[in-house]
Amino acid sequence: MSELAAADLDVRLEEHRRELTGYCYRMLGSAFEAEDAVQDTLVRAWRSIDKFEGRSSLRSWLYRIATNVCLDMLTAGNKRARPMDLTAPTPVANAQLNSRPEVTWLEPVPDGRVLPSIEDPAEAALARESVRLAFVAALQHLPPKQRAVLILREVLAWKAAEVAELLDTTVASVNSALQRARSTLADSDPKQTDPADPLDEEQQKLLDRYVAAFEGYDMTALTALLHEDATLSMPPYDLWLRGHDDIVGWMLGVGEVCRGSRLLPTVANGTPAFAHYHPDPEGGFTPWALMVIETSGGKVSGICSFLDTDRWFPLFNLPARLDKDGDPVRVG
């Protein structure tokens, strides 16, 4: 292959990286594993480009490779989860912080790594909905091939015949797998959240009030913003809490260390999120959590604080610290 042809192939392959990452993320539930899977996919495609006969599009061929990579990665039977997928809610009086291994947890992902630019508002809303934490967690309940079928058919709008060709099976088998996948997904019932891109005026006001209440540690104001059955979870701990009383009880107990924190807005999994910075005794603020917020009906329905900031803050390109005024510290 000439240098010019190689450069052209590189460009053509890279054009598909983001959408492939979104597909692999939905399959695997891990931002880092998704990026590894896509890199493996592109390397395999590069090495076997001479075998690409052009009977399908380059995009379809890449999805075939990516699907096989993901299925290989899922053969160990591992599936990612949220704390609420593993245990019952814990009354705050009995709350204990039990950590589980990193491979247990569904991981957050920056929108920009998995959501391609889509002009159609309805299609864009579907794409965001399909990477929400609750939806991706529900996907993990499906056997791997059913998972692939549902994503390809329901999220990416592939035809049954196209999916059958990709999976080397029949249209009847694809339709049967899709029906079973839909049934399982309905049983898990991932809650809907309000569309959030762009935020409308009321949603922005809700988030502004949330920031003011959290940074001011005003539990009365915070309670007014929460649904009665709102949840709080904190991976890598399997503890999760439900309801006003237990969430506020936590915040005023063990969570009291978060008093005086600062929140910096970002986005994750198609929903609003905040980089949570903790007061540093030596001055300024240091990373504490990536806080993913879900809303419905004009109130906060879920708060998931991912505490492994060494992983999440670089992935989301977030400042390593804030100064005493809460502004990002510029390096250099």
Side-chain angles (χ1 to χ4, degrees):
M1 184 182 301
S2 69
E3 290 186 10
L4 182 60
D8 180 62
L9 178 59
D10 280 339
V11 171
R12 293 179 64 197
L13 293 177
E14 283 298 323
E15 288 174 350
H16 298 280
R17 182 181 290 275
R18 186 183 296 187
E19 65 169 310
L20 287 171
T21 304
Y23 174 62
C24 293
Y25 173 72
R26 296 177 184 99
M27 285 289 291
L28 302 171
S30 163
F32 294 102
E33 287 185 356
E35 293 195 346
D36 288 345
V38 171
Q39 189 60 33
D40 190 4
T41 296
L42 298 182
V43 169
R44 291 189 191 190
W46 174 269
R47 290 175 175 171
S48 58
I49 191 63
D50 292 340
K51 299 178 182 178
F52 175 56
E53 299 176 351
R55 288 180 296 182
S56 62
S57 68
L58 177 64
R59 178 174 182 260
S60 297
W61 186 60
L62 289 172
Y63 269 93
R64 176 192 287 268
I65 298 172
T67 300
N68 289 332
V69 170
C70 288
L71 293 178
D72 287 345
M73 294 174 72
L74 291 167
T75 52
N78 58 308
K79 61 181 181 180
R80 301 275 177 160
R82 301 170 302 162
M84 50 279 293
D85 301 318
L86 302 177
T87 65
T90 304
V92 69
N94 301 329
Q96 294 182 344
L97 293 176
N98 300 311
S99 179
R100 296 204 187 191
E102 175 272 321
V103 294
T104 303
W105 302 116
L106 182 69
E107 296 180 351
V109 69
D111 285 10
R113 292 189 180 236
V114 294
L115 295 179
S117 299
I118 301 175
E119 293 185 4
D120 183 86
E123 290 183 11
L126 174 61
R128 289 192 300 275
E129 182 70 17
S130 70
V131 295
R132 282 195 310 110
L133 288 172
F135 183 79
V136 179
L139 290 175
Q140 307 303 300
H141 293 284
L142 303 175
K145 284 194 175 180
Q146 283 187 29
R147 199 179 309 175
V149 167
L150 187 132
I151 296 168
L152 291 166
R153 292 282 284 118
E154 301 280 82
V155 177
L156 302 179
W158 284 40
K159 296 177 181 178
E162 294 172 325
V163 178
E165 182 179 358
L166 182 148
L167 294 175
D168 290 324
T169 187
T170 64
V171 170
S173 294
V174 167
N175 289 335
S176 176
L178 179 60
Q179 184 176 3
R180 295 195 302 273
R182 284 172 172 167
S183 177
T184 301
L185 211 62
D187 290 341
S188 65
D189 190 27
K191 291 184 178 179
Q192 299 294 307
T193 59
D194 294 333
D197 186 18
L199 294 170
D200 64 30
E201 184 177 357
E202 290 304 311
Q203 289 172 319
Q204 188 59 62
K205 287 181 179 178
L206 171 64
L207 293 177
D208 290 344
R209 291 196 296 270
Y210 179 84
V211 171
F214 192 91
E215 292 187 347
Y217 231 66
D218 184 339
M219 293 299 107
T220 300
L222 185 64
T223 297
L225 304 177
L226 299 176
H227 275 285
E228 290 186 4
D229 62 348
T231 61
L232 171 64
S233 57
M234 296 161 284
Y237 300 114
D238 58 14
L239 168 74
W240 67 283
L241 306 162
R242 171 182 282 157
H244 294 163
D245 292 344
D246 282 333
I247 292 176
V248 170
W250 175 267
M251 299 281 284
L252 293 177
V254 176
E256 179 75 20
V257 294
C258 292
R259 186 182 291 273
S261 293
R262 293 290 183 269
L263 302 182
L264 193 68
T266 184
V267 288
N269 294 81
T271 61
F274 295 99
H276 175 186
Y277 292 84
H278 194 266
D280 187 339
E282 297 182 2
F285 301 86
T286 55
W288 185 260
L290 176 72
M291 183 186 289
V292 181
I293 304 293
E294 295 203 323
T295 66
S296 63
K299 288 195 172 184
V300 174
S301 56
I303 305 167
C304 188
S305 289
F306 293 91
L307 300 179
D308 190 354
T309 57
D310 287 343
R311 286 169 66 80
W312 309 127
F313 276 47
L315 180 68
F316 281 77
N317 196 28
L318 294 166
R321 62 180 293 109
L322 305 180
D323 65 21
K324 61 182 179 61
D325 297 317
D327 296 321
V329 174
R330 305 298 177 187
V331 178

